Amino acid sequence: MSGRVHVVGAGMAGLAAAVRLAAAGRAVTLSEAAPQAGGRARSYFDQALGCRIDNGNHLLIAGNRSALSYIDAVGARGTLTGPGMPVYPFVDRATGERWVLRLNLGRVPWWMASSARRVPGTTLGDYIKALKLRRARPFDRVVDVLQSGTTVFRRLWQPLAVAALNTPLDQASAVLLAHVLAESIGAGGEACTPLVPREGLSETLVDPALAQLRRSGAAIRFGARLRAIEFGDDRAIALDFESGREPLADGDDVVLAVTAAVATRLVPDLVAPDQYCAILNAHYRFAAPADSPFFIGIIGGTAEWAFRKPGVVSVTVSAADRLLDAPEDELAATLWHDVAVAYELPSAPVPPVRLVRERRATFAATPEQAARRPGARTRWRNLALAGDWTDTGLPATVEGAIRSGFAAARLLGADRADAAEKALSAGNRRSKVAPPSHAFEPRPSR
C-alpha cells in the first residue's frame, strides 16, 4: 500500500484530489489554512443580512463532466436543480426586449436556424462565423476572432465570454473561449442544460465531500497554514506548517492545491500566472417570486447575470476591476437596478445587501498568462500541483478546478481511482434531478 497523501488546500481542486485519492484507497490528510473548506465556491451565514449566501455565483452545466463526476462521487446529485432543458433567458436593458435562447437537445444545432430559438436580431450566418474560434492562434484575443460590433456578440458571445473568462475581451484568450464553447454549445444542447444548487454551494460542493472524506478515514485540518516545503534531490521531504514540521515518509505524496501566488512562494522556480482580474458580487436579501427564472442574462447593464436563490437575489460583475473602489451605496443602487429590470421588481427601495469584492478572483485569462500555466507534474516525483490556474485547458472555473484535482490525483498513482470512483458514484448517485414545478420562462411583462 502506498503512503499517505497530504493535500494542501481545501478549495475545489484540493477537495477533488482528496476525494479521488481516498476513493483509490489512499490515506489522505487534507490541510486548509482557512477555517473552512470550499475556497471561492462556498456558502456562509452573513450576520449583517441575517441569511445564508454563497460567496460567489457559479453556474454548472450538464457538460461539466468532471464537476458532475465529483458531485456523483460524493452523493450530491440530488442537491442540484434547474430548468431541465437548455434554455437561457435574457433581457436587454437598452431596449427592454426579453427573449429565451432555446437550444435543441441533440448535437446538431438546428436551433441556430430558428428565429424563435436564437437571439433576436441574429441570423444563422452569425453563428457559423463563430467557428473561426476553432482556428484561433495561441496569442489571439477574443475580439481578434469575433466581431465586437455585431448583435450576436453584444447579446450572446460577450455575456458568455466575460462570465467564463473573467477578463476584458480585448485582452482575453480566444483559445480559452474556444475550449469553453467546444464543451458547451459545441457539445450539443443537452450538455448546456443548466444546473444550480437547491440550497447553496456548500451543500452541493463542499459539505458532501467533507462527509465522504471523513467516512473514508481522511484526516481534515483547518487553520493549518503551510509555511514551506523542504525538498531533497527528487522529492519533497517535509512540510513545514505553522504548527510544526511534518516529515514525509518514502511513500508519502503531496498535492499542492493552493493559489498561484502561494504556490510560487513554496515551489522553487515555479512559473505560474501572476496577473489577476476581479469579480464583484452583490447579494440582496429579497425573495423573488418562486416562478422566476433561476438566472437571467443582462445585456447592457453593469452586471452580466442575476441569480434567484432561496431568500436572496444576486448579481455578478466579471472583469470588475473598474468598480473595486466605487462607493458601496452607489454600487448597491446601480446593481439593484439591474436586478429590478431582470426580475421585474420595484427599483426602490434597495433591499439589504452584501457586496463581495474579490480583487484577485481568477488569473487574467490572457494569452500571455495562459502560457504561464504549469501542468500538474513537477520535477519532484511526489509533488503534484492542482488549482484552476494550472493548465486544464479551461479558464478559472469550478469545472477546471475539479479537473485539475483529478489530474493531480492521477499523476500520483491514483489510476485505480477511475474504477473506484465509478463504483462509488454508482452507489451514491441519486435519482435524476427532478424538474422544477414551474416553467423556466420570464414572467410576462406588466
Side-chain angles (χ1 to χ4, degrees):
M1 175 65 71
S2 301
R4 178 168 293 273
V5 183
H6 294 263
V7 180
V8 181
M12 294 315 306
L15 288 172
V19 164
R20 171 134 319 178
L21 287 160
R26 295 292 300 270
V28 172
T29 294
L30 178 63
S31 302
E32 166 60 47
Q36 71 283 314
R40 296 193 308 274
R42 63 181 178 86
S43 311
Y44 63 94
F45 186 85
D46 187 277
Q47 296 290 344
L49 285 186
C51 63
R52 190 166 170 81
I53 63 173
D54 296 330
N55 65 341
N57 294 308
H58 300 274
L59 179 68
L60 296 175
I61 60 172
N64 292 151
R65 296 185 303 275
S66 296
L68 292 184
S69 176
Y70 165 85
I71 288 169
D72 284 339
V74 301
R77 180 66 74 105
T79 68
L80 293 172
T81 186
M85 47 190 170
V87 289
Y88 291 77
F90 288 88
V91 60
D92 191 323
R93 286 208 59 182
T95 66
E97 192 172 4
R98 294 176 181 271
W99 68 90
V100 178
L101 182 70
R102 303 174 184 278
L103 285 67
N104 61 286
L105 291 177
R107 292 187 66 90
V108 178
W110 57 259
W111 62 270
M112 296 180 183
S114 170
S115 60
R117 287 177 171 264
R118 63 179 181 247
V119 174
T122 65
T123 67
L124 174 61
D126 292 327
Y127 299 89
I128 293 175
K129 290 176 183 177
L131 292 174
K132 293 188 295 183
L133 281 168
R134 293 181 176 179
R135 302 190 299 274
R137 298 164 299 182
F139 283 89
D140 280 342
R141 322 280 168 169
V142 171
V143 295
D144 296 332
V145 181
L146 299 178
Q147 292 181 306
S148 60
T150 62
T151 299
V152 72
F153 184 89
R154 177 175 176 269
R155 287 186 159 186
L156 182 59
W157 303 136
Q158 182 172 349
L160 291 180
V162 171
L165 303 176
N166 191 40
T167 304
L169 299 189
D170 60 347
Q171 305 171 30
S173 165
V175 170
L176 285 178
L177 178 59
H179 292 172
V180 169
L181 293 181
E183 296 190 16
S184 53
I185 293 175
E190 188 171 3
C192 296
T193 302
L195 298 168
V196 296
R198 291 182 185 276
E199 297 181 61
L201 292 171
S202 286
E203 286 82 359
T204 292
L205 297 173
V206 182
D207 297 343
L210 294 176
Q212 180 75 23
L213 289 169
R214 290 187 176 105
R215 286 193 296 269
S216 73
I220 301 173
R221 308 184 300 187
F222 296 114
R225 186 174 301 278
L226 182 63
R227 298 189 303 189
I229 304 174
E230 295 181 31
F231 295 98
D233 291 337
D234 67 343
R235 59 185 296 272
I237 59 174
L239 300 176
D240 183 11
F241 288 94
E242 287 183 346
S243 58
R245 181 179 182 273
E246 299 181 11
L248 298 172
D250 286 345
D252 288 354
D253 294 315
V254 179
V255 175
L256 190 61
V258 296
T259 65
V262 173
T264 54
R265 177 175 59 80
L266 295 171
V267 179
D269 304 320
L270 176 64
V271 175
D274 57 2
Q275 295 179 10
Y276 304 89
C277 288
I279 289 178
L280 170 65
N281 291 289
H283 307 287
Y284 297 90
R285 194 183 69 205
F286 188 94
D291 61 346
S292 302
F294 292 103
F295 59 87
I296 302 178
I298 303 170
I299 308 303
T302 302
E304 294 88 27
W305 297 90
F307 297 82
R308 172 178 65 84
K309 302 181 178 185
V312 173
V313 288
S314 298
V315 291
T316 294
V317 185
S318 300
D321 298 75
R322 69 193 186 280
L323 300 176
L324 290 179
D325 297 323
E328 183 159 327
D329 56 348
E330 177 183 308
L331 278 176
T334 297
L335 294 173
W336 177 250
H337 283 302
D338 284 342
V339 173
V341 170
Y343 283 105
E344 299 182 87
L345 301 171
S347 59
V350 177
V353 62
R354 168 65 71 191
L355 295 178
V356 181
R357 297 174 171 94
E358 294 188 71
R359 293 182 178 272
R360 294 157 64 96
T362 69
F363 75 91
T366 65
E368 295 80 7
Q369 290 294 295
R372 295 178 61 88
R373 300 173 78 181
R377 187 182 301 275
T378 70
R379 70 174 186 259
W380 296 278
R381 58 183 171 84
N382 66 336
L383 174 66
L385 302 175
D388 58 18
W389 52 272
T390 62
D391 190 10
T392 65
L394 295 174
T397 60
V398 169
E399 171 71 7
I402 291 173
R403 189 173 296 183
S404 77
F406 286 173
R410 186 165 54 249
L411 183 64
L412 294 180
D415 325 45
R416 295 169 294 164
D418 288 334
E421 185 199 5
K422 287 177 182 178
L424 182 61
S425 297
N428 282 339
R429 187 176 293 117
R430 303 294 189 262
S431 58
K432 290 186 178 180
V433 175
S437 58
H438 57 84
F440 189 75
E441 299 281 355
R443 291 179 289 119
S445 299
R446 293 186 178 88

